[in-house]
Amino acid sequence: MQRLKISNISRYFNDLRALSQHRTSSSVTDDLCNQVLVEGKANSRMAILNRPSALNALNTNMGAKLNKLFKAWENDPNIGFGSGRAFCAGGDIVSLYHFMNQGKLEECKDFFRTLYSFIYLLGTHLKPHVAILNGVTMGGGAGVSIPGTFRVACGKTVFATPETLIGFHPDAGASFYLSHLPGHLGEFLALTGAKLNGAEMMACGLATHYSVSEKLPLIEEELGKLVTDDPSVIEACLEKYSDLVYPDKNSVIHRIDIVDKCFGLDTVEEIIDSLESEASLINDPWCGSTLRLLKEASPLSLKVSLRSIREGRFQTFDECLVREYRMSLQGVSRLISGDFYEVSNFQILNKHV
């Protein structure tokens, strides 16, 4: 089996650091009590991720805190809706690596069970939720944002599900929401790990609203004044500060026809063959860059992820999370493949986080 390319893995972690460098600060503590902060105004509550030195990577403690908060808010008649603000680079690979290295499978189970339970709670919450996507929103970071009622993207938003690059699969509910995107865009994003900006998220439905970054404080201030649990009132507030935006001419959004033609095929091999055929017929650098992403990913992860998206298209949200939980435990068990463990080891040794 083709090995994951170290240069590609290095680029992935370097990209994360570059995208989030301006947000990190060693002056902010990462102690357990302060990893999730809460701000409350009038009828609303806001959860703020607070592990900047780890790019706000989600761990078991944060998942448990979010679960506790959102359950309490759902049952409190004085709270009309909740919101969240932060960038998030995904799940805490460092913690998972240490669990795997020490043979602590139960801790791995608890990690995924806690985070997936919160994601299910968010996706089925009885009260509206507003996610303000002010920065990197990748992997698990998307999982704790996309299932909510409203998702506000901005000029700093960077979305991706890059799990095939690290020997894993798009999880945290990704097989559900990616499979419901237009055409076969979900397969493209799941397999390549390609990034989308805020305008592209808005165009494909991953975001419900778009506002320029300078307006985000105004949105938060306005939301804090609301005394309601009526989604239409909250939406009107978001619309007030929304901006009209379109993907640029080089965006994958303008290549939906070729995405559907290639990524709608049955197997990874057919997808790659089709892209190679298109690359020989048309002079479009996009075909070459897409092929490079596919050929640098974990071959097994590509096959697993393609099947996951295809199954997710015919499953409910909770069924997708249950299946992803089982898949994730297989991924960390190393019984079938050691790709994810090897990438995590590479990250630790090179101190990328």
Side-chain angles (χ1 to χ4, degrees):
M1 178 177 288
Q2 173 187 332
R3 309 297 289 182
L4 287 169
K5 293 188 177 181
I6 295 300
S7 61
N8 201 38
I9 298 167
S10 179
R11 187 172 71 248
Y12 164 69
F13 290 115
N14 284 335
D15 281 351
L16 281 183
R17 288 175 62 82
L19 287 165
S20 303
Q21 191 171 14
H22 68 289
R23 303 296 299 273
T24 60
S25 169
S26 59
S27 64
V28 180
T29 180
D30 278 359
D31 68 82
L32 293 178
C33 294
N34 293 319
Q35 289 180 350
V36 178
L37 304 178
V38 178
E39 290 182 358
K41 296 180 181 179
N43 204 223
S44 68
R45 295 294 183 272
M46 174 175 284
I48 304 170
L49 303 184
N50 187 43
R51 286 188 73 205
S53 66
L55 310 184
N56 283 335
L58 295 159
N59 58 25
T60 307
N61 174 69
M62 296 167 77
K65 181 72 175 288
L66 289 167
N67 260 309
K68 183 178 179 180
L69 287 173
F70 274 71
K71 286 178 180 177
W73 296 348
E74 188 172 47
N75 295 322
D76 189 338
N78 295 314
I79 296 176
F81 67 97
S83 60
R85 163 172 45 89
F87 70 98
C88 180
D92 188 351
I93 295 176
V94 177
S95 294
L96 271 179
Y97 167 78
H98 288 307
F99 291 152
M100 289 186 289
N101 198 40
Q102 297 165 13
K104 295 182 177 180
L105 184 58
E106 288 304 315
E107 280 78 359
C108 291
K109 288 181 179 180
D110 192 39
F111 172 85
F112 288 113
R113 185 187 304 113
T114 303
L115 290 180
Y116 290 7
S117 294
F118 170 68
I119 292 166
Y120 175 74
L121 176 62
L122 177 63
T124 58
H125 209 254
L126 296 178
K127 296 180 179 179
H129 176 265
V130 180
I132 298 177
L133 312 177
N134 189 21
V136 176
T137 307
M138 294 187 177
V144 298
S145 306
I146 304 300
T149 319
F150 303 107
R151 288 90 61 192
V152 182
C154 67
K156 295 180 181 179
T157 307
V158 181
F159 168 89
T161 51
E163 286 84 357
T164 60
L165 184 59
I166 57 173
F168 208 58
H169 64 98
D171 67 322
S175 68
F176 181 80
Y177 65 76
L178 289 181
S179 66
H180 288 76
L181 294 182
H184 294 281
L185 181 62
E187 283 93 332
F188 164 77
L189 294 172
L191 270 59
T192 65
K195 301 180 184 73
L196 296 182
N197 59 31
E200 291 169 320
M201 290 186 71
M202 186 69 189
C204 72
L206 282 170
T208 59
H209 297 80
Y210 180 95
S211 296
V212 295
S213 301
E214 292 75 16
K215 290 184 181 179
L216 296 185
L218 298 175
I219 292 175
E220 292 184 20
E221 182 179 357
E222 190 85 5
L223 289 174
K225 296 176 181 177
L226 297 181
V227 182
T228 183
D229 60 359
D230 186 344
S232 65
V233 175
I234 298 168
E235 183 165 20
C237 172
L238 297 176
E239 291 286 349
K240 178 180 176 181
Y241 295 100
S242 291
D243 295 288
L244 192 61
V245 66
Y246 299 99
D248 65 48
K249 63 180 181 180
N250 295 319
S251 171
V252 66
I253 301 299
H254 298 304
R255 293 180 166 88
I256 288 296
D257 288 344
I258 191 172
V259 166
D260 287 351
K261 180 179 180 180
C262 298
F263 286 85
L265 296 172
D266 291 338
T267 67
V268 172
E269 291 82 2
E270 288 176 309
I271 290 171
I272 292 175
D273 288 345
S274 179
L275 280 167
E276 289 176 338
S277 176
E278 290 294 325
S280 67
L281 294 174
I282 59 176
N283 184 24
D284 188 346
W286 178 85
C287 291
S289 62
T290 300
L291 280 167
R292 283 193 295 274
L293 288 172
L294 290 172
K295 292 180 178 180
E296 290 173 343
S298 161
L300 179 60
S301 290
L302 289 175
K303 292 178 177 291
V304 168
S305 299
L306 180 61
R307 179 169 176 177
S308 180
I309 301 301
R310 297 279 165 84
E311 290 191 4
R313 195 163 278 131
F314 302 99
Q315 292 181 325
T316 61
F317 184 51
D318 57 320
E319 289 172 336
C320 285
L321 284 170
V322 169
R323 174 175 47 75
E324 289 173 4
Y325 172 74
R326 293 167 179 162
M327 293 167 62
S328 295
L329 293 189
Q330 286 290 341
V332 300
S333 71
R334 289 184 281 171
L335 294 176
I336 298 175
S337 170
D339 280 354
F340 180 62
Y341 177 80
E342 291 172 11
V343 174
S344 303
N345 185 46
F346 175 84
Q347 182 191 15
I348 302 297
L349 293 177
N350 288 272
K351 299 180 181 179
H352 281 287
V353 173

